[in-house]
């Protein structure tokens, strides 16, 4: 008789405690949401007005394109690809047209895309002839049984798919060339490899929740100035710099690629949400500020309810966010 009393008492007490906490409030569901970034790092707050205005205008243009597509009901995969393509064609960003120079004076491009509905993904690394690597990454996802194609294999696949290819000269931007020459000069001075990200971690990325409730993520980059031939960062690595899962979140990262790979940053944030029921903001802050070192970079994220997180541990991150409630924000610093 005594044994049957204890479980009953525990049941009653737990019920009373639950009632004291009140009913659990379901998260507000947004019809769609979008976040994007154009790189993070040491961005001086005394940035020349014309440079600041140029970046702000580019971010607003990309955000407007994404917003309009989502309002019209476009699928998330189409949105992230088209917005990233726009940023790849913009010489302000270290992706596509504005890609940095590697140690040998060449451009090597990386990109990845992921569908949160079924975890399909595609990526390319070290591509040298593709105008828009993000579109090639999508073709890897849709036309092959693979996830990642690299180097000459990626370029050969681009030719087979009829993707627009361009000479290396297409990617040339004077300020990127100057950064490379400065890095080489420092390298000769100290005898080591002088990496230079031009004051920021150069990457572009877009994450969305579309009207069908699907999440998608895309990231594209030219890497680091003066990087060794064949170096690959986190952008094309699924679970490090790019990730999307309808159960949790879509993420694109920007920063010191090696650190994001070591910590599996994007997948780690998703896991904290899935297994510990953390909010997207809590999970992102725990990883970016708790696992990474100050200055390593940041992430953008959209969860399955349309909540946005823009978290970074650098002085700035070129970023923007919009959603179906009317939000439309672009920013550089905190």
């Amino acid at each position: 008789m005594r044994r049957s009393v204890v479980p009953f008492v525990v049941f009653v007490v737990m019920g009373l405690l639950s009632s004291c906490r009140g009913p659990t409030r379901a998260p507000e569901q947004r019809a769609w949401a979008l976040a994007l970034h154009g790189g993070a790092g040491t961005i001086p707050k005394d940035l020349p007005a014309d440079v600041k205005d140029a970046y702000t205008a580019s971010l607003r243009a990309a955000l407007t394109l994404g917003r309009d597509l989502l309002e019209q009901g476009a699928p998330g995969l189409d949105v992230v690809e088209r917005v990233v393509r726009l940023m790849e064609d913009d010489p302000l960003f270290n992706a596509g047209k504005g890609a940095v120079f590697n140690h040998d004076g060449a451009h090597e491009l990386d990109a990845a895309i992921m569908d949160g509905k079924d975890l399909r993904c595609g990526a390319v690394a070290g591509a040298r002839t593709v105008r828009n690597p993000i579109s090639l990454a999508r073709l890897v996802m849709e036309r092959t049984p693979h996830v990642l194609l690299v180097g000459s294999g990626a370029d050969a696949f681009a030719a087979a798919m009829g993707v627009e290819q361009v000479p290396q000269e297409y990617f040339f931007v004077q300020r990127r060339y100057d950064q490379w020459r400065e890095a080489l000069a420092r390298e000769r001075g100290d005898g080591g490899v002088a990496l230079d990200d031009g004051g920021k971690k150069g990457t572009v990325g877009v994450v969305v929740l579309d009207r069908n409730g699907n999440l998608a993520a895309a990231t594209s980059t030219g890497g680091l100035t003066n990087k060794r031939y064949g170096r690959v960062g986190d952008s094309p690595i699924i679970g490090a710099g790019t990730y999307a899962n309808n159960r949790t979140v879509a993420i694109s990262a920007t920063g010191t690629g090696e650190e994001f790979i070591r910590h599996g940053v994007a997948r780690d944030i998703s896991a904290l949400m899935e297994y510990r029921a953390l909010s997207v903001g809590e999970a992102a802050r725990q990883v970016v500020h708790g696992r990474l070192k100050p200055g390593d970079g940041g992430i953008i994220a959209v969860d399955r309810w349309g909540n946005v997180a823009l978290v970074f541990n650098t002085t700035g991150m070129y970023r923007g966010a919009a959603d179906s409630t009317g939000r439309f924000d672009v920013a550089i610093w905190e």
Side-chain angles (χ1 to χ4, degrees):
M1 188 70 177
R2 290 179 180 175
R3 291 178 181 175
S4 64
V5 171
V6 175
F8 176 76
V9 172
V10 171
F11 175 79
V12 171
V13 171
M14 292 299 291
L16 289 171
L17 289 173
S18 178
S19 65
C20 290
R21 288 195 299 266
T24 301
R25 183 179 179 182
E28 178 185 356
Q29 181 66 61
R30 292 165 177 78
W32 59 265
L34 161 73
L36 57 82
H37 71 76
T42 307
I43 306 172
K45 291 191 175 182
D46 60 351
L47 205 64
D50 60 333
V51 175
K52 176 185 175 182
D53 290 346
Y55 274 105
T56 299
S58 289
L59 291 170
R60 290 186 66 86
L63 196 61
T64 298
L65 174 61
R67 177 198 64 189
D68 293 348
L69 289 171
L70 288 167
E71 280 282 11
Q72 296 162 13
L77 275 175
D78 291 349
V79 176
V80 296
E81 180 188 3
R82 287 187 59 181
V83 176
V84 167
R85 280 178 64 99
L86 180 67
M87 300 179 82
E88 286 176 337
D89 290 341
D90 189 330
L92 283 177
F93 301 111
N94 176 19
K97 174 64 175 175
V100 299
F101 290 79
N102 71 5
H103 181 72
D104 299 327
H107 306 276
E108 295 177 296
L109 312 175
D110 307 333
I113 193 168
M114 188 165 186
D115 186 347
K117 180 172 60 178
D118 51 17
L119 304 186
R120 291 187 306 154
C121 47
V124 294
R128 290 190 168 210
T129 67
V130 182
R131 173 173 174 169
N132 294 109
I134 195 62
S135 293
L136 186 61
R138 184 168 181 177
L139 287 171
V140 171
M141 177 182 74
E142 295 180 339
R143 303 287 185 87
T144 81
H146 311 305
V147 169
L148 176 63
L149 294 181
V150 303
S152 59
D155 289 324
F157 179 65
M161 291 292 102
V163 170
E164 182 177 3
Q165 293 180 279
V166 294
Q168 282 272 293
E169 292 74 20
Y170 165 81
F171 303 108
F172 179 92
V173 171
Q174 186 64 48
R175 66 190 180 90
R176 300 298 190 193
Y177 178 79
D178 294 341
Q179 290 168 359
W180 171 59
R181 297 295 296 175
E182 291 169 5
L184 288 178
R186 290 199 304 275
E187 180 177 317
R188 288 192 293 269
D190 62 21
V193 176
L195 293 173
D196 184 356
D197 64 7
K200 65 179 185 299
K201 314 300 184 183
T203 313
V204 303
V206 182
V207 293
V208 307
L209 169 73
D210 67 21
R211 286 188 176 277
N212 293 318
N214 293 319
L215 294 168
T219 313
S220 182
T221 186
L224 295 172
T225 297
N226 204 35
K227 64 184 180 180
R228 287 298 184 186
Y229 168 70
R231 178 265 185 185
V232 177
D234 65 303
S235 296
I237 306 301
I238 302 302
T242 307
Y243 190 72
N245 186 333
N246 276 10
R247 297 178 61 181
T248 51
V249 67
I251 294 174
S252 175
T254 171
T256 306
E258 285 73 11
E259 291 302 313
F260 280 75
I261 293 171
R262 291 184 181 108
H263 294 281
V265 166
R267 182 66 180 90
D268 197 19
I269 292 171
S270 174
L272 287 171
M273 295 174 65
E274 184 172 4
Y275 303 129
R276 291 186 54 191
L278 296 187
S279 70
V280 62
E282 292 170 337
R285 285 189 291 273
Q286 188 169 124
V287 174
V288 173
H289 294 294
R291 306 255 205 279
L292 298 174
K293 300 185 297 295
D296 275 346
I299 65 95
I300 57 170
V302 174
D303 72 12
R304 62 193 180 105
W305 293 288
N307 297 307
V308 171
L310 308 164
V311 182
F312 52 98
N313 61 22
T314 54
T315 59
M317 180 169 73
Y318 298 106
R319 63 197 187 277
D323 65 31
S324 56
T325 69
R327 176 180 184 177
F328 188 94
D329 303 317
V330 298
I332 300 176
W333 302 280
E334 291 185 5

